[in-house]
Amino acid sequence: MLKKSPGPSLPPGWEGLTNPAEPRADLPSLMPRLMDARTGVVRGVDLVQKDADEPALPIVLTARIANHRFVGKDAQVDLVCSGKGMTLEEARISAVGEAVERYGGGCAPSLPMVRSARHALDGASLDPRHMVLYRPEQYAALPYTPYDGTNVLRWVRARSLVTGDAIHVPTGAVFLHDPQTREERLAPITSNGLAAGPTLAEAVLRAACEVVERDAVMIAWLHRLPCQRIDPLSHPDTALVNWVRLYARRGVTLHLFRVPTDQAAHVFLAVGTQRPGGPGPAAVVGMGADLSAARAARGALLEVGQIRPALARRMRRAETLARLEELKERPESVAKLEDHDLLYALPERLTALAFLLERPMEPFTWLQPEATSAVDQLRALADRLKATGSDLLYCDLTPSDLMRMGLRVVRAILPGLQPIDFGHQERRLGGERLYQLPVTLGFAKTCSGPEALNPDPHPIA
């Protein structure tokens, strides 16, 4: 086994996450260090210009990330990300925070690595099949290698917040840019569970909530599970309610759904639908997850306001219109992230959302949870994951320059939870939870097979 030169130590367990000596980074005060055209992580931020029929809020900013990997022009699309907020300060923090996350996840990995087959590892390890891979019959059409227990992979150690143990996990589940051999390429690399935060605990909390969010939404979509439809005008945030009304006056109705899950976080899905004959995309979807229902719902709704203006502008490009015609003829040809939301710009695709949009409105009480620390919220998540047979693993990916500022970037891995996928042929259908959760939640009496899954590509970008 070949070991890489030493890097950061194993991430701490609860004793490190509760360290009172760890200061909380103040992102607004760090802006001058993070944003600099020559030396910053972020070269600058730009206001996203919206069409006249879009509300001014939320403010959407794009952040230009420094080309720290020295990639060519074709790869520089990964160097732009966006953030949103109801104020300029909130939008700036959101955009720069997203850039910090992307930068930290994209830096050259320095964690100690071991190249080995799983059975030869020294210590506990994550079975790669618990990353949720594919069914045997899918591989003929996929560029990935089945895992049979003998694959020689590269591994790094994560920390379990359920057992406290060090756990070897495949590098493909951790690093955002991971050069893989054919044998190692078990599934596409995504940013699922990658998050930044002003403390280690907050970064892990955000990362874990994102994994819970995608798991709930993907399973609900694939089974067309009944989601609780809630009136967004009942939300306790007055500014948010006023914004929902602004969209309604422009012919866009915002729908809000609480997605069923067996985990500790609230998961919400928001759908913005355009009135027939209107100028924008027919439907846009946003997601949010948090231990506070109000924060989760707010995040989902504002994500619609972030995605919709950009999609509307994309739809004026000749190449986008050409792709839209292709998707109209063959919806199953959805092949990349940008295809998913583009498909639902078509009015005829609203029928695929009928299992959500035709549900009756239900009352909902927006109880605010007692103020608890990020560590306490993490404990609630970890306890529930343990009770449902999963775990909360994390790796600390923070590069040294961000560490000196007090910022942290982590990857969270929740074994067995359904990941998001992009490309209709790349649906991750090999996990057990996908088929078991509807039974656990009481929506089905027996587990169904893949033939019963929703054939429509999901609308999430």
Side-chain angles (χ1 to χ4, degrees):
M1 294 186 295
L2 298 176
K3 294 189 177 182
K4 198 175 179 180
S5 57
S9 61
L10 180 69
W14 294 111
E15 73 289 345
L17 292 169
T18 56
N19 181 7
E22 182 187 15
R24 189 178 190 278
D26 180 20
L27 192 56
S29 69
L30 292 171
M31 288 294 180
R33 297 172 64 184
L34 290 167
M35 292 176 53
D36 187 279
R38 297 180 62 187
T39 63
V41 168
V42 179
R43 295 179 58 204
V45 296
D46 303 293
L47 179 67
V48 172
Q49 299 298 323
K50 298 183 180 182
D51 293 342
D53 56 353
E54 286 287 324
L57 298 176
I59 297 168
V60 182
L61 299 177
T62 57
R64 290 173 278 119
I65 308 170
N67 189 4
H68 58 286
R69 293 190 298 116
F70 303 101
V71 297
K73 289 184 178 179
D74 291 344
Q76 289 191 17
V77 65
D78 290 336
L79 297 178
V80 177
C81 58
S82 67
K84 77 280 189 186
M86 296 297 272
T87 66
L88 183 60
E89 180 72 1
E90 183 186 9
R92 184 181 291 113
I93 290 172
S94 174
V96 173
E98 185 74 19
V100 166
E101 171 189 313
R102 192 85 60 87
Y103 169 76
C107 284
S110 58
L111 298 179
M113 284 185 272
V114 176
R115 186 183 294 276
S116 172
R118 184 177 177 232
H119 64 80
L121 289 169
D122 181 17
S125 59
L126 172 67
D127 186 334
R129 285 166 288 212
H130 293 161
M131 293 157 45
V132 184
L133 303 176
Y134 302 95
R135 295 180 66 86
E137 63 269 20
Q138 290 184 271
Y139 282 100
L142 293 172
Y144 307 114
T145 301
Y147 181 76
D148 62 9
T150 66
N151 306 54
V152 175
L153 310 175
R154 285 166 303 129
W155 307 77
V156 294
R157 291 196 305 167
R159 174 73 72 182
S160 166
L161 293 182
V162 167
T163 66
D165 296 337
I167 308 286
H168 285 95
V169 295
T171 58
V174 177
F175 301 129
L176 196 54
H177 302 284
D178 187 43
Q180 297 177 320
T181 65
R182 172 77 184 185
E183 191 175 14
E184 292 176 300
R185 199 172 186 211
L186 306 179
I189 294 171
T190 72
S191 62
N192 197 35
L194 182 68
T199 66
L200 186 57
E202 288 179 68
V204 178
L205 177 63
R206 293 174 184 178
C209 280
E210 181 176 89
V211 179
V212 169
E213 169 195 275
R214 273 79 185 279
D215 167 78
V217 170
M218 291 304 298
I219 294 177
W221 179 265
L222 286 165
H223 288 281
R224 296 190 181 103
L225 295 183
C227 299
Q228 183 181 8
R229 186 177 181 182
I230 299 166
D231 185 355
L233 296 177
S234 71
H235 195 280
D237 185 334
T238 303
L240 188 72
V241 168
N242 290 336
W243 172 73
V244 171
R245 290 193 174 108
L246 282 175
Y247 250 137
R249 288 203 290 270
R250 288 163 170 82
V252 177
T253 302
L254 289 166
H255 313 264
L256 186 62
F257 305 90
R258 187 167 179 261
V259 182
T261 180
D262 61 346
Q263 297 305 315
H266 296 275
V267 179
F268 279 83
L269 188 72
V271 183
T273 57
Q274 173 73 61
R275 68 171 172 237
V284 174
V285 172
M287 301 181 293
D290 197 283
L291 271 72
S292 158
R295 287 196 299 266
R298 183 181 189 271
L301 287 163
L302 290 186
E303 193 166 274
V304 172
Q306 178 182 12
I307 294 171
R308 185 182 153 83
L311 179 55
R313 294 174 73 86
R314 276 171 56 202
M315 290 170 62
R316 290 202 287 270
R317 301 174 189 165
E319 62 271 22
T320 302
L321 293 174
R323 181 58 178 154
L324 196 57
E325 285 301 311
E326 294 172 357
L327 294 174
K328 183 177 181 178
E329 295 298 320
R330 296 181 60 246
E332 71 279 3
S333 69
V334 163
K336 56 185 179 179
L337 182 149
E338 293 83 3
D339 286 343
H340 284 272
D341 63 342
L342 183 59
L343 175 64
Y344 289 87
L346 295 165
E348 53 265 43
R349 295 304 302 172
L350 287 174
T351 57
L353 297 167
F355 77 98
L356 293 168
L357 299 177
E358 293 178 359
R359 288 196 61 79
M361 207 82 76
E362 299 179 48
F364 184 73
T365 302
W366 297 94
L367 294 176
Q368 291 296 330
E370 293 183 10
T372 55
S373 68
V375 172
D376 289 338
Q377 294 177 65
L378 262 181
R379 287 192 188 277
L381 281 176
D383 288 346
R384 188 60 187 159
L385 285 160
K386 180 182 179 180
T388 55
S390 186
D391 201 339
L392 203 173
L393 313 176
Y394 85 96
C395 288
D396 186 353
L397 305 183
T398 314
S400 58
D401 54 345
L402 294 182
M403 185 83 75
R404 287 192 292 271
M405 298 184 204
L407 296 169
R408 308 303 282 263
V409 178
V410 306
R411 172 80 82 162
I413 303 166
L414 279 51
L417 269 66
Q418 185 71 24
I420 195 168
D421 50 63
F422 299 108
H424 191 54
Q425 298 303 315
E426 299 204 5
R427 296 187 300 168
R428 306 272 280 271
L429 305 183
E432 296 179 1
R433 178 175 167 84
L434 172 59
Y435 308 98
Q436 292 175 345
L437 187 62
V439 177
T440 301
L441 296 175
F443 296 123
K445 292 182 178 179
T446 60
C447 293
S448 62
E451 69 284 348
L453 297 176
N454 185 353
D456 293 312
H458 70 73
I460 303 151

